[in-house]
Amino acid sequence: MITISLISNCTMKPCSRIFIGYKNSSFLARYHHSLTMSNTFTFNLDHFNNRCIHHYPFGLLNSGKNNFLGLPSLRVTTSRKRAKGDNDVSANIGGVSFKAREFSSFIETRVNDNNVERVYVKGGMNVKPIVVERDDKDENNAEEREKEEEEKSRLQCCEEDAKIENSGDLKNLSHEAKNKDEEETEVEKEAWKLLQEALVTYCDTPVGTVAANDSASQQQQQQQQQPLNYDQVFIRDFVPSALAFLLKGEHEIVKNFLLRTLQLQSWEKTVDCHSPGQGLMPASFKVETVKVDDEDKEVLDPDFGESAIGRVAPVDSGLWWIILLRAYGKITGDYSLQERVDVQTGLKMILNLCLTDGFDMFPSILVTDGSCMIDRRMGIHGHPLEIQALFYSALRCSRELLVVDEKSETLFGEVITRLSALSFHIREYYWLDMKKFNIYPEQIPMWLMDWIPEDGGYFIGNLQPAHMDFRFFMLGNLWSIVSSLGTPRQNEAILNVIETKWDDLVGNMPMKICYPALEHEEWRIITGSDPKNTPWSYHNGGSWPALLWQFTLACMKMGRTELAQKAVTLAEQRLPRDSWPEYYDTRAGRFIGKQARFYQTWTLAGFLASKMLLKNPEMASLLCCDEDYEILETCVCILNKKSGRTKCSRNAAKSQILV
């Protein structure tokens, strides 16, 4: 008996390449959705046409002979005998029928679609062609049935379009996007041209954008023994590119990206004889060309952190994926993607990985240093604000994305419970303003005494036992505003800090990734004398234009659009002149980063997304989350009667909300 995983996806363009290079030696998967193959095996694929023979040189086996595993032959047939409205692919093993959707997280069947049902074998093994036999007795009425189903599908689409127009999600996006093209400045046109040049294609379809399209960087990469990874597609880096494409009306690339990265999620990755938990999303992937049977074939090669500086798994990748999935549905109005079985399965795997119980007593996620945008040693291990803000946002998005049924009801309840606990924990213990200075004043650093304004406040960078990181981290605070992790008063106070301390947090180039920088002995101890993270450079107090779109979104949500416009105007004056660098150095962000790559994709994509959001304020409202009073009503200590608590401090959080 041999167990293999079958992964199917019919939405992507047919391709003659296997999905991932076969350097992963593990073919027998531990993925829990598996099929047990016995002596006779018949697998029925609806709407599987003859094209798949030409597009699948790597099948499971040849008919009439034992396959590469020594198994008996596999006979693949088509069948249209199914219940009305049932789109499930069925199979029969030893006389026992079952639905393949119950075993595979990547199955979708469409009618009258040029795409074909795809079956990937986990492990990327080099195998023989699939042999397809057609069942002629059901072909006579096939065309009539397809026409009927196509007409039903068309009517359903019309009804969905009407609902979307009534809900106001689309806001006539395509029409507005065409009108906005006429208003584009020369800088915007240049940025769009560069963004198009950064596209990465796989099987003749766009699947993402490279991190940087710098020719000098590529030459340097060829000379180094350890190549750089700026030629890869990073999940977090692609988010501003995805938003720019969505706001432009180009939706297909974002859909392809979401599905391809979802397929990469299922792959088993082993580092030093250890495999991470199921549900982990890769930090990045790249398209490589390999020789297979004397032919050049494209394969996807994912990186789950084994190539990173600290060999750390990317915790934020799965969280960004969930956030982008919601944004896709909100902007396009296409909610069918998030309702797919494979997408729902991937979403649940990410949530299960994040919600897994451990030794931690806090509702926040415990991570190592370098597991997010700051991917080098910067002393953020523990419970960094950036991860908590993205985690909260992903949970808020999951409330809308999860299809609640008997199997997911428990998971949905866990999401609600964690949202309630996390919001209270961050608002109560991470918040710092002038009122908090009376608590343990000896722990407060000297620079903070005169720095924080009277009407301002912010969430500190980290909270650990007997240690508080008082640095101001830009991404975590901005995303706390966007996701409503902070209360309305707290959100206003954060923007007050940025406005009052504009020279420190924006300066000559938005936005400062963190403030202040680690210097002197503190820099040597915490960063290990990192030559790239020297004071006021890179992650150690450098200025990152890629954060501009998040600042714009936060300002627009709070009605402070003038702040966003000021920052965008500042960036527009410098970025094209400086060749769109990755980051800027010095306290005021005056000089281009000493190791910055030019034509950094998320720099120009962040600028484009900011410009388009300012032109389309209604789109900004779709991407933000408002205060959810239901979360405040859900108290963990009420759910757990054994806690012994007689007084809940949830009212303290409620009292901060503006009515």
Side-chain angles (χ1 to χ4, degrees):
M1 177 181 296
I2 293 195
T3 301
I4 66 172
S5 292
L6 298 183
I7 306 173
S8 175
N9 183 352
C10 72
T11 63
M12 316 305 295
K13 184 178 252 185
C15 172
S16 61
R17 290 82 166 170
I18 64 175
F19 183 59
I20 282 187
Y22 33 84
K23 54 186 178 183
N24 185 351
S25 59
S26 175
F27 172 75
L28 298 180
R30 63 188 180 98
Y31 190 57
H32 60 281
H33 300 294
S34 57
L35 298 178
T36 302
M37 301 181 64
S38 56
N39 289 335
T40 60
F41 180 45
T42 303
F43 195 83
N44 301 324
L45 296 178
D46 286 342
H47 317 300
F48 207 120
N49 54 43
N50 288 328
R51 289 183 60 190
C52 64
I53 298 178
H54 305 290
H55 289 284
Y56 282 86
F58 312 109
L60 290 174
L61 43 89
N62 281 329
S63 178
K65 297 181 180 180
N66 285 357
N67 60 20
F68 69 102
L69 291 174
L71 297 174
S73 62
L74 169 64
R75 182 170 176 262
V76 181
T77 63
T78 62
S79 173
R80 299 186 184 274
K81 294 181 179 180
R82 59 180 184 178
K84 184 177 181 180
D86 184 8
N87 290 328
D88 285 344
V89 180
S90 61
N92 182 283
I93 301 179
V96 179
S97 299
F98 62 90
K99 292 182 178 180
R101 282 187 188 274
E102 300 174 358
F103 293 85
S104 174
S105 62
F106 298 95
I107 291 185
E108 179 183 2
T109 304
R110 291 189 177 183
V111 178
N112 196 23
D113 194 344
N114 291 331
N115 296 330
V116 297
E117 190 85 16
R118 309 193 67 169
V119 180
Y120 297 113
V121 180
K122 185 173 180 180
M125 300 291 291
N126 184 4
V127 291
K128 299 180 181 179
I130 285 182
V131 177
V132 178
E133 299 178 6
R134 303 188 64 85
D135 196 351
D136 296 334
K137 63 182 180 180
D138 290 327
E139 292 299 326
N140 296 331
N141 299 326
E143 295 183 0
E144 295 181 1
R145 294 183 182 180
E146 287 185 356
K147 290 180 180 179
E148 292 178 0
E149 293 183 12
E150 184 178 1
E151 180 65 19
K152 292 180 181 179
S153 177
R154 186 187 67 80
L155 294 175
Q156 290 178 355
C157 290
C158 293
E159 293 176 358
E160 292 177 358
D161 290 343
K163 293 179 180 179
I164 291 170
E165 291 176 1
N166 293 333
S167 64
D169 278 355
L170 286 183
K171 305 290 185 180
N172 298 322
L173 176 62
S174 299
H175 177 70
E176 290 187 4
K178 293 179 181 179
N179 293 337
K180 300 306 178 185
D181 289 341
E182 301 175 358
E183 304 174 10
E184 289 181 352
T185 63
E186 292 300 323
V187 175
E188 292 176 73
K189 292 179 181 178
E190 177 189 350
W192 275 115
K193 179 177 178 295
L194 294 171
L195 186 60
Q196 292 290 340
E197 293 175 353
L199 285 175
V200 174
T201 60
Y202 174 69
C203 300
D204 300 325
T205 58
V207 293
T209 52
V210 293
N213 202 16
D214 185 2
S215 58
S217 175
Q218 296 173 0
Q219 294 177 0
Q220 182 180 359
Q221 177 175 338
Q222 295 175 356
Q223 297 174 359
Q224 292 181 343
Q225 293 181 353
Q226 295 182 347
L228 304 175
N229 55 4
Y230 286 90
D231 61 338
Q232 299 188 20
V233 180
F234 283 81
I235 289 185
R236 77 172 69 94
D237 291 34
F238 181 70
V239 172
S241 298
L243 291 180
F245 284 122
L246 289 174
L247 294 172
K248 185 81 168 178
E250 300 177 12
H251 307 154
E252 195 63 26
I253 179 177
V254 182
K255 184 176 182 180
N256 294 342
F257 172 83
L258 289 169
L259 292 175
R260 287 302 186 190
T261 50
L262 181 65
Q263 291 170 330
L264 293 174
Q265 177 197 34
S266 300
W267 290 82
E268 178 180 297
K269 203 69 178 180
T270 302
V271 179
D272 294 336
C273 301
H274 176 73
S275 298
Q278 290 182 354
L280 179 66
M281 281 288 186
S284 62
F285 66 88
K286 60 181 177 180
V287 179
E288 291 186 333
T289 303
V290 298
K291 284 285 186 181
V292 178
D293 293 340
D294 297 329
E295 295 184 11
D296 291 334
K297 305 295 181 182
E298 285 184 342
V299 296
L300 291 181
D301 183 19
D303 175 19
F304 288 85
E306 68 272 16
S307 299
I309 296 296
R311 304 297 187 268
V312 178
V315 178
D316 63 337
S317 290
L319 306 178
W320 277 122
W321 186 88
I322 295 176
I323 294 170
L324 182 58
L325 178 63
R326 175 184 179 270
Y328 175 86
K330 285 289 184 179
I331 295 178
T332 66
D334 177 15
Y335 297 103
S336 62
L337 177 64
Q338 66 192 46
E339 296 171 353
R340 285 178 40 156
V341 175
D342 55 342
V343 174
Q344 285 290 311
T345 301
L347 174 61
K348 294 173 186 176
M349 290 174 66
I350 297 174
L351 292 175
N352 285 327
L353 183 63
C354 294
L355 296 173
T356 300
D357 293 331
F359 293 101
D360 206 346
M361 296 294 294
F362 303 110
S364 49
I365 295 183
L366 178 65
V367 300
T368 61
D369 213 344
S371 58
C372 53
M373 176 182 176
I374 300 178
D375 57 2
R376 301 171 75 94
R377 282 182 58 183
M378 274 293 292
I380 65 169
H381 55 280
H383 305 84
L385 176 64
E386 176 179 334
I387 291 295
Q388 314 315 321
L390 293 175
F391 180 38
Y392 180 83
S393 180
L395 291 177
R396 288 289 304 269
C397 295
S398 299
R399 287 188 64 190
E400 304 176 23
L401 298 171
L402 269 177
V403 176
V404 183
D405 51 26
E406 294 181 357
K407 296 181 180 180
S408 62
E409 186 176 1
T410 301
L411 179 61
F412 186 80
E414 293 178 0
V415 169
I416 301 298
T417 302
R418 181 62 70 90
L419 274 171
S420 175
L422 183 61
S423 64
F424 172 75
H425 181 75
I426 300 297
R427 292 178 178 184
E428 188 72 10
Y429 301 116
Y430 276 67
W431 183 251
L432 179 68
D433 55 19
M434 291 297 293
K435 297 178 181 179
K436 294 267 184 131
F437 274 89
N438 293 327
I439 303 176
Y440 304 117
E442 62 275 4
Q443 293 187 4
I444 300 175
M446 294 302 298
W447 66 267
L448 188 58
M449 298 290 189
D450 300 324
W451 189 78
I452 189 169
E454 291 286 342
D455 60 345
Y458 65 95
F459 292 109
I460 62 175
N462 208 331
L463 182 64
Q464 301 181 56
H467 174 69
M468 300 176 70
D469 188 345
F470 289 96
R471 286 176 292 175
F472 181 96
F473 287 86
M474 184 64 69
L475 193 154
N477 276 279
L478 292 179
W479 211 253
S480 296
I481 298 175
V482 173
S483 64
S484 287
L485 176 57
T487 67
R489 286 178 180 170
Q490 290 172 338
N491 295 340
E492 286 285 353
I494 293 172
L495 292 183
N496 289 342
V497 170
I498 297 176
E499 184 178 21
T500 305
K501 298 298 178 180
W502 187 268
D503 292 339
D504 293 332
L505 300 177
V506 181
N508 293 302
M509 176 55 63
M511 307 289 299
K512 190 68 68 178
I513 190 172
C514 69
Y515 183 91
L518 299 174
E519 297 181 291
H520 310 302
E521 191 67 21
E522 193 176 29
W523 166 74
R524 286 189 285 271
I525 293 175
I526 294 179
T527 71
S529 300
D530 189 347
K532 195 168 186 177
N533 272 336
T534 54
W536 307 109
S537 178
Y538 204 53
H539 296 145
N540 190 15
S543 298
W544 290 72
L547 297 173
L548 182 62
W549 72 273
Q550 301 178 53
F551 179 62
T552 301
L553 200 56
C555 291
M556 296 182 71
K557 176 185 176 180
M558 301 307 297
R560 307 277 288 271
T561 308
E562 72 283 354
L563 282 179
Q565 187 63 63
K566 181 180 178 181
V568 170
T569 302
L570 184 62
E572 190 170 8
Q573 295 172 350
R574 288 202 60 186
L575 289 177
R577 184 181 65 197
D578 295 339
S579 301
W580 308 90
E582 179 183 10
Y583 65 95
Y584 286 78
D585 283 348
T586 72
R587 182 186 291 266
R590 184 179 179 184
F591 300 115
I592 299 174
K594 58 186 177 183
Q595 296 188 38
R597 298 298 178 265
F598 294 104
Y599 303 105
Q600 189 79 12
T601 303
W602 68 347
T603 295
L604 55 94
F607 166 76
L608 288 173
S610 298
K611 294 283 288 189
M612 300 185 74
L613 287 171
L614 290 172
K615 295 177 182 178
N616 299 273
E618 66 279 0
M619 289 296 135
S621 63
L622 295 177
L623 299 174
C624 297
C625 295
D626 295 326
E627 181 70 79
D628 192 333
Y629 296 95
E630 183 181 348
I631 294 176
L632 298 177
E633 296 297 332
T634 305
C635 180
V636 179
C637 59
I638 293 178
L639 300 177
N640 185 8
K641 297 181 180 180
K642 297 181 180 180
S643 63
R645 296 186 61 175
T646 58
K647 184 178 180 180
C648 179
S649 53
R650 191 77 54 188
N651 293 329
K654 294 181 184 179
S655 64
Q656 300 184 39
I657 297 180
L658 295 174
V659 180

